Amino acid sequence: MSESLKLSSARQPAPDADGAVPLGRPKGEPRFPDGPQADPAGSHFERRIRSFQPRRSRVTTGQAEALQRLWSRWGLDIDGQRVLDLAELFGDGRPVVLEIGFGMGEATAQMAAADPDTGILAVDVHTPGQGNLLALAERTGLGNVRVANGDAIILLREMLTPDSLDGLRVYFPDPWPKKRHHKRRLIQPEFLTLAAARLRPGAIVHCATDWEPYAEQMLDVLTAHPAFENTRADGGFAPRPDFRPLTRFEGQGLEKGHVVNDLLFRRVPHDEQQR
């Protein structure tokens, strides 16, 4: 064990009976000194209504160890202060898809293993999930996953170049079911315009949700946006493609009678968008 890891491990409180690390720590001390920052963008950017809400969940010993040991290798903080070179980030020129919100990372790891020639830039603010995905990537030998911590809007707007992405995946985003919270939903016209500027023509936007009113809204705003076209000739929802694994969360929802809807839209060529 390296000296830095010994020191950082010593700072961590002892795990409880379930193997989880309590959140308590000395005031002012970072939660993971060598891992993701608590607020990577800080006050550099305007405060706005967020589509996500960070969850203060317990981190297991294994997740904490993965964050400390692997973050400098496969993780990055979304600080908005630099432009990413995706070829450099992944070590080659492979196509890269952006996944926003990956939960605990099991489905992301499965998709990465099934398609090793595609890089997955996976964004979330859930610290246990970040640690879990890093651990899964190492355990299964995945070299095509990078974990980003922070606000995906800042990542898209400040840190990615035009036409740099080959796909966008948004699986089971927070539906914000209360009407007064609908403005917090991620899939909105403004978000799609930003995403379109970073997606190459032909790139696929793939969304999935088990909240039917949100699925209908997604379908409406994607259909109305000039930068995207539905891959379905009937203009409706798509069956779940084989490459998207059935997640535990999804399985639990199906058992409760939830209806899961997938949407697959293609980024149109730039000249067609002007028509």
Side-chain angles (χ1 to χ4, degrees), residues 10-239:
R11 295 189 186 105
Q12 295 295 329
D16 60 19
D18 297 324
V21 178
L23 296 179
R25 62 189 183 280
K27 185 176 180 180
E29 186 169 306
R31 190 178 183 191
F32 299 102
D34 299 319
Q37 298 178 38
D39 185 13
S43 59
H44 300 300
F45 300 95
E46 77 284 355
R47 296 298 175 184
R48 56 180 171 75
I49 296 173
R50 298 287 177 86
S51 62
F52 62 89
Q53 189 169 14
R55 292 171 288 163
R56 298 283 293 174
S57 303
R58 298 188 306 169
V59 179
T60 68
T61 303
Q63 292 162 0
E65 193 273 339
L67 287 167
Q68 286 290 108
R69 187 167 53 80
L70 300 172
W71 188 255
S72 62
R73 180 177 166 194
W74 288 331
L76 66 100
D77 283 304
I78 300 173
D79 57 13
Q81 301 299 301
R82 58 193 170 117
V83 176
L84 296 177
D85 182 334
L86 295 181
E88 180 181 349
L89 182 66
F90 283 88
D92 53 31
R94 73 180 77 195
V96 175
V97 300
L98 175 65
E99 182 178 0
I100 299 177
F102 56 80
M104 294 305 292
E106 293 99 337
T108 305
Q110 290 181 54
M111 289 186 289
D115 186 10
D117 293 330
T118 296
I120 300 179
L121 178 54
V123 181
D124 211 307
V125 293
H126 186 48
T127 311
Q130 294 168 350
N132 199 59
L133 179 52
L134 287 171
L136 286 171
E138 182 183 51
R139 190 181 310 141
T140 54
L142 302 176
N144 58 329
V145 174
R146 299 294 181 270
V147 180
N149 167 55
D151 189 340
I153 299 294
I154 294 176
L155 174 68
L156 282 164
R157 191 181 65 198
E158 309 290 342
M159 300 178 68
L160 294 176
T161 57
D163 295 355
S164 58
L165 295 173
D166 288 86
L168 172 65
R169 297 168 180 170
V170 183
Y171 300 151
F172 304 99
D174 194 326
W176 295 103
K178 295 181 180 179
K179 188 173 182 180
R180 69 176 183 271
H181 291 156
H182 286 183
K183 59 191 175 184
R184 295 181 178 273
R185 290 176 172 176
L186 179 63
I187 306 302
Q188 307 274 7
E190 297 81 6
F191 170 77
L192 293 177
T193 296
L194 174 60
R198 303 295 178 252
L199 290 164
R200 292 191 178 101
I204 296 296
V205 173
H206 183 192
C207 302
T209 180
D210 67 335
W211 193 261
E212 289 187 83
Y214 194 12
E216 294 290 348
Q217 178 190 328
M218 289 181 180
L219 183 60
D220 288 344
V221 297
L222 277 161
T223 300
H225 201 287
F228 300 100
E229 62 181 5
N230 199 332
T231 62
R232 293 279 298 177
D234 62 6
F237 298 110

